[in-house]
């Protein structure tokens, strides 16, 4: 067996690394190259290490020497040297490696020192830079292992960093963000070529709330492949919330509608799923504010929305709830309240309708937040929002944003309330003019009026009937263009003027003459811009028939349903224009004879005209329906014919039926 070769120190004379050799139990310094002298200062050879390096901060280094010689295992450790106070030079940083060696002097240790001051200072500056912008920086590898360079995970989450993106790490990610985040990361590491990965997600903080974090990962390429990713994660909660608030507030500002139901339906679609898993709007019964001290108060459910993935919400059927003391406190204080719900979503009674209570239980609701709806100092009702499943209860910032959204929504709500008030006034005005038809010997009269759907319930349609002392019956049907209070007001004026003219001029004044006079008055007084009307005289003759004379100013033609024969429209010989269109035009009077049992129907265009069908199609439907129901009593006939309307426009009908011959 050949003798062991000894380490020749001359090998290190010209190396750039600082090398020193120590031998014997006292670790005497037996060699020091030029680089070591420059780095640490020249030390006398032959001295024990404790004498050669008497500095106080060399104690750890001397302990490592003892350990390496005793165990025969190399060691590595960092070190630093701080300058004397007031000195101009900066701190210096080193990395030492201590390795057991055999030398002519016997067993010993070789120490190699590298100056890492530049690298350490660069790292410190980088850490200070990213710390100044609250970033967490790390290295992430495709196998899920990770290393923190600038730590912050434990400070953020309260959970120690353990170096892997696994289930323990994912438990801190919001449940509804986990799958999306991991899928996006999987797509990024599989991409060719790899690109920058960016994602925003929610992280559970040490206090149990969630904050939005944004992570940007830049690949480190080796041989064209991404071996690792340098990641920077920053807290963007404030920016995210501000952006969300601006976006949602802009959406609410664009809400419009002509019914409260439609307006609130648009509002809840803004709230869900951004700020809540579900939202229900409940309006107090009319004139319930301020809340009476003793009488019960109900609230009606008019709009709701739920996020995808939850059970289907119950249909809106006007469900109501008698409000509880809790709701009263919320409404009177005008302050939101969040109510934690036990497992199973059991809701205290009196907060929401029973169907909503059941839905909350089925959807595993975890909290219910009540927020008053205030418009111009009046409380209209409240919104009830819920969190469900693994969604945490809303944070104070979430509730404040909800309040802001609902407060901004008062503008479109105010518009709808004003419109509804105008419609209600117009409808009362309209009904005040639609009086019961008079009794007519030898005939029967029936009339009806139906406003349009709540979204369009104002109209200018009217009917009228008067009898002259000689028994002449006067029938009117008319329609003022428009669906607002102005149209309703003009309708009342024109109806009254025509009624007065007909009575004052008597039965011998022809219908054409009366409409000409009405046209002149409406034009001169600037009452309306476009009005259609049919003015009819009916006079019974000795043989039991009725002579009909009428003039039509641009209105749908009267419908004749004879006792025998097919129904048909009475178009006359000429078509005169509507009122207020061609003042001074010569109008025509048409005549027809009605036999016993014949039915005459005057109607407005809402009965036959719809956005999806032409006027001709609507007239054909009316003819078929009239033929099918001709034997019905007159009130029933009108009710059946009125069902032809799609309720987009109001409809007025007045019908005359001559008594059949004995």
């Amino acid at each position: 067996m050949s003798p062991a070769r000894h380490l020749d120190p001359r090998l290190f004379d010209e190396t750039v690394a600082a090398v020193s050799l120590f031998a014997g139990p006292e670790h005497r310094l037996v060699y020091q190259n030029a680089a070591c002298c420059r780095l640490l200062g020249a030390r006398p050879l032959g001295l024990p290490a404790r004498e050669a390096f008497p500095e106080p901060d060399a104690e750890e280094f001397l302990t490592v020497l003892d350990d390496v010689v005793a165990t025969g295992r190399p060691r590595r450790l960092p070190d630093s040297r701080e300058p004397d106070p007031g000195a101009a030079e900066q701190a210096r940083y080193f990395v030492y490696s201590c390795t057991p060696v055999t030398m002519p002097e016997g067993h010993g240790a070789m120490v190699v020192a590298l100056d890492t001051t530049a690298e350490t200072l660069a790292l410190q500056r980088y850490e200070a830079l990213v710390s100044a912008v609250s970033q967490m920086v790390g290295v992430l590898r495709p196998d899920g292992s990770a290393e923190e360079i600038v730590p912050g995970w434990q400070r953020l989450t309260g959970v120690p960093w353990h170096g892997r993106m696994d289930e323990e790490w994912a438990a801190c990610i919001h449940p509804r963000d986990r799958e999306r985040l991991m899928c996006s990361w999987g797509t990024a590491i599989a991409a060719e070529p790899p690109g920058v990965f960016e994602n925003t997600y929610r992280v559970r903080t040490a206090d149990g709330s969630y904050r939005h974090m944004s992570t940007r990962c830049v690949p480190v390429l080796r041989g064209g492949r991404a071996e690792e990713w340098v990641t920077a994660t920053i807290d963007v909660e404030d920016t995210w919330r501000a952006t969300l608030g601006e976006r949602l507030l802009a959406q609410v500002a664009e809400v419009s509608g002509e019914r409260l139901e439609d307006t609130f339906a648009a509002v809840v679609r803004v709230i869900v799923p951004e700020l809540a898993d579900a939202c229900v709007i409940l309006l107090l019964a009319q004139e319930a504010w301020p809340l009476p001290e003793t009488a019960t108060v109900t609230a009606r459910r008019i709009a709701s929305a739920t996020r995808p993935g939850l059970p289907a919400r119950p249909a809106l059927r006007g469900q109501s709830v008698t409000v509880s003391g809790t709701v009263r406190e919320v409404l009177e204080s005008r302050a939101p309240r969040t109510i934690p719900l036990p497992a199973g979503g059991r809701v205290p009674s009196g907060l929401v309708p029973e169907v909503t209570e059941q839905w909350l239980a089925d959807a595993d609701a975890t909290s219910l937040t009540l927020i008053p709806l205030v418009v111009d100092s009046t409380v209209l009702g409240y919104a009830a929002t819920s969190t469900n499943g693994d969604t945490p209860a809303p944070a104070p910032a979430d509730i404040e944003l909800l309040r802001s959204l609902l407060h901004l929504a008062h503008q479109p709500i105010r518009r709808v309330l004003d419109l509804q008030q105008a419609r209600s006034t117009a409808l009362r005005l309209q009904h005040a003019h639609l009086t019961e038809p008079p009794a007519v010997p030898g005939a029967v009269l029936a009339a009806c009026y139906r406003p349009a759907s709540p979204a369009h319930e104002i109209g200018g349609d009217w009917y009228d009937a008067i009898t002259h002392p000689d028994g002449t019956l006067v029938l009117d049907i008319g329609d003022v263009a428009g669906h607002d209070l102005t149209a309703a007001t003009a309708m009342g004026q024109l109806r009254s003027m025509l009624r007065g003219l007909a009575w004052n001029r008597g039965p011998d004044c022809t219908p054409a003459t009366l409409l000409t006079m009405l046209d002149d008055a409406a034009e001169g007084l600037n009452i309306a811009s476009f009005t259609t009307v049919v003015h009819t005289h009916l006079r019974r003759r000795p043989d039991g028939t009725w002579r009909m004379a009428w003039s039509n100013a641009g209105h749908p033609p009267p419908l004749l349903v004879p006792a025998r024969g097919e129904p048909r429209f009475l178009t006359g010989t000429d078509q005169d224009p509507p009122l207020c269109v061609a003042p001074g035009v010569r109008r025509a009077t048409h005549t027809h004879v009605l036999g016993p049992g014949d039915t005459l129907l005057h109607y407005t265009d809402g009965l036959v005209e719809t956005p999806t069908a032409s006027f001709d199609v609507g007239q054909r439907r009316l003819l078929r329906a009239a033929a099918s129901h001709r034997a019905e009593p007159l009130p029933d006939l009108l009710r059946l014919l009125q069902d032809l309307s799609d309720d987009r426009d109001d409809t007025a009908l007045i019908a005359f039926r001559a008594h059949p011959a004995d």
Side-chain angles (χ1 to χ4, degrees):
M1 186 172 180
S2 60
R5 299 182 60 184
H6 300 297
L7 181 65
D8 185 356
R10 292 174 299 177
L11 295 173
F12 307 111
D13 288 346
E14 302 300 326
T15 62
V16 294
V19 178
S20 57
L21 299 175
F22 299 86
E26 293 183 308
H27 311 304
R28 292 182 178 277
L29 179 63
V30 297
Y31 175 77
Q32 187 179 30
N33 70 355
C36 185
C37 293
R38 290 192 300 270
L39 182 62
L40 303 177
R43 309 298 169 107
L45 298 180
L47 292 178
R50 291 184 181 278
E51 297 179 19
F53 296 92
E55 297 89 344
D57 56 2
E59 184 62 33
E60 183 180 6
F61 160 67
L62 298 174
T63 302
V64 170
L65 279 177
D66 292 337
D67 181 67
V68 168
V69 173
T71 63
R73 293 192 301 268
R75 290 280 302 276
R76 179 177 179 274
L77 75 159
D79 193 11
S80 63
R81 290 192 176 184
E82 298 292 337
D84 294 333
E89 67 270 14
Q90 64 182 9
R92 302 186 69 185
Y93 300 89
F94 311 93
V95 173
Y96 295 99
S97 65
C98 190
T99 308
V101 294
T102 301
M103 300 174 291
E105 293 83 356
H107 295 293
M110 178 176 68
V111 176
V112 179
L114 292 176
D115 187 340
T116 60
T117 300
E119 292 80 0
T120 302
L121 290 177
L123 180 59
Q124 288 177 344
R125 293 185 184 116
Y126 177 70
E127 290 177 349
L129 174 64
V130 296
S131 298
V133 293
S134 303
Q135 284 188 342
M136 294 182 291
V137 180
V139 174
L140 186 60
R141 301 176 185 86
D143 64 358
S145 62
E147 175 185 351
E148 281 193 309
I149 298 176
V150 180
W153 180 259
Q154 182 169 351
R155 184 173 62 253
L156 173 67
T157 64
V159 177
W161 175 260
H162 67 289
R164 293 200 65 81
M165 286 178 56
D166 53 13
E167 293 182 0
E168 183 177 344
W169 172 86
C172 294
I173 308 301
H174 194 287
R176 288 203 301 278
D177 292 345
R178 290 172 194 160
E179 183 177 358
R180 173 180 55 81
L181 178 62
M182 298 311 295
C183 288
S184 299
W185 172 242
T187 301
I189 63 177
E192 291 292 343
V196 175
F197 166 77
E198 293 183 272
N199 208 291
T200 299
Y201 52 94
R202 288 164 287 183
V203 176
R204 188 182 65 240
T205 63
D207 64 4
S209 64
Y210 283 89
R211 295 188 68 83
H212 284 78
M213 311 297 291
S214 179
T215 293
R216 178 181 173 88
C217 301
V218 179
V220 177
L221 303 179
R222 298 188 182 96
R225 298 182 57 186
E227 296 293 335
E228 58 186 16
W229 303 70
V230 176
T231 70
T233 300
I234 187 171
D235 186 323
V236 295
E237 177 68 21
D238 294 340
T239 302
W240 178 88
R241 190 166 295 280
T243 303
L244 173 68
E246 291 176 0
R247 177 165 57 84
L248 296 185
L249 290 171
Q251 292 177 9
V252 169
E254 294 176 357
V255 167
S256 63
E258 295 186 339
R259 301 189 312 156
L260 280 177
E261 290 84 348
D262 297 334
T263 300
F264 279 116
V267 171
V268 297
R269 287 195 296 269
V270 174
I271 293 173
V272 177
E274 295 286 11
L275 295 177
D277 290 332
C279 181
V280 176
I281 300 294
L282 297 111
L283 293 189
L284 298 176
Q286 288 186 348
E287 300 181 359
W289 186 261
L291 298 176
E293 293 184 3
T294 56
T296 59
V297 177
T298 60
R300 180 172 59 93
R301 173 174 169 258
I302 67 164
S304 66
T306 58
R307 69 167 170 83
L310 294 177
R313 64 183 184 273
L316 282 173
R317 292 177 184 148
Q319 301 94 345
S320 299
V321 60
T322 300
V323 299
S324 65
T326 299
V327 174
R328 281 176 170 268
E329 292 173 5
V330 168
L331 298 183
E332 290 174 347
S333 67
R334 306 189 182 190
R337 180 178 300 183
T338 297
I339 302 167
L341 301 179
R346 183 180 178 87
V347 181
S349 61
L351 303 183
V352 291
E354 290 184 1
V355 292
T356 304
E357 289 182 14
Q358 185 59 50
W359 182 88
L360 290 168
D362 295 341
D364 190 21
T366 56
S367 74
L368 187 69
T369 300
L370 307 179
I371 306 168
L373 301 172
V374 183
V375 175
D376 295 342
S377 76
T378 298
V379 178
L380 299 183
Y382 58 101
T385 66
S386 72
T387 56
N388 299 70
D390 49 17
T391 304
D398 297 324
I399 297 175
E400 187 57 36
L401 182 52
L402 274 169
R403 290 187 66 179
S404 299
L405 290 175
L406 293 172
H407 175 72
L408 184 61
H410 87 276
Q411 297 177 7
I413 294 169
R414 177 75 270 169
R415 290 195 296 268
V416 174
L417 291 175
D418 291 343
L419 184 58
Q420 286 189 346
Q421 181 62 37
R423 286 173 179 153
S424 178
T425 301
L427 200 56
R428 289 196 300 269
L429 175 64
Q430 195 144 10
H431 281 298
H433 288 287
L434 301 177
T435 56
E436 286 292 324
V440 179
V444 62
L445 285 180
C448 63
Y449 171 79
R450 180 187 290 176
S453 63
H456 305 281
E457 64 183 7
I458 301 176
D461 294 13
W462 90 88
Y463 63 80
D464 196 11
I466 63 173
T467 54
H468 287 287
D470 69 346
T472 299
L473 174 66
V474 176
L475 298 181
D476 290 320
I477 192 83
D479 185 2
V480 177
H483 291 88
D484 52 22
L485 186 57
T486 301
T489 303
M491 176 275 297
Q493 293 175 309
L494 289 174
R495 176 186 179 276
S496 298
M497 289 174 60
L498 183 56
R499 186 182 181 91
L501 287 171
W503 181 262
N504 183 263
R505 293 295 177 176
D508 294 331
C509 184
T510 66
T513 301
L514 277 171
L515 288 189
T516 299
M517 297 171 66
L518 180 65
D519 195 7
D520 290 342
E523 178 70 21
L525 298 175
N526 194 27
I527 293 176
S529 60
F530 189 92
T531 301
T532 65
V533 62
V534 175
H535 183 70
T536 304
H537 290 182
L538 288 162
R539 183 173 295 172
R540 190 179 186 188
R541 304 196 300 188
D543 61 355
T545 61
W546 292 74
R547 181 181 183 275
M548 173 189 177
W550 80 95
S551 182
N552 188 339
H555 199 81
L559 173 65
L560 174 65
V561 185
R564 295 177 180 81
E566 292 299 317
R568 67 183 186 277
F569 294 104
L570 300 177
T571 56
T573 56
D574 297 300
Q575 286 189 340
D576 294 342
L579 304 182
C580 308
V581 171
V585 67
R586 184 179 182 84
R587 297 187 178 275
T589 295
H590 316 285
T591 60
H592 186 76
V593 176
L594 301 180
D598 287 356
T599 298
L600 175 68
L601 175 69
H602 288 316
Y603 56 94
T604 55
D605 59 0
L607 185 68
V608 293
E609 195 168 28
T610 68
T612 58
S614 67
F615 187 80
D616 292 341
V617 171
Q619 284 191 310
R620 289 195 293 271
R621 291 173 60 236
L622 177 57
L623 288 172
R624 291 193 298 269
S628 299
H629 303 298
R630 65 198 309 161
E632 298 288 342
L634 208 54
D636 294 338
L637 174 64
L638 294 190
R639 177 177 54 80
L640 292 167
L641 294 181
Q642 201 167 39
D643 288 340
L644 296 175
S645 171
D646 66 355
D647 291 336
R648 292 175 182 265
D649 196 2
D650 53 343
T651 55
L653 293 85
I654 186 166
F656 166 92
R657 178 176 287 171
H659 283 167
D662 294 335

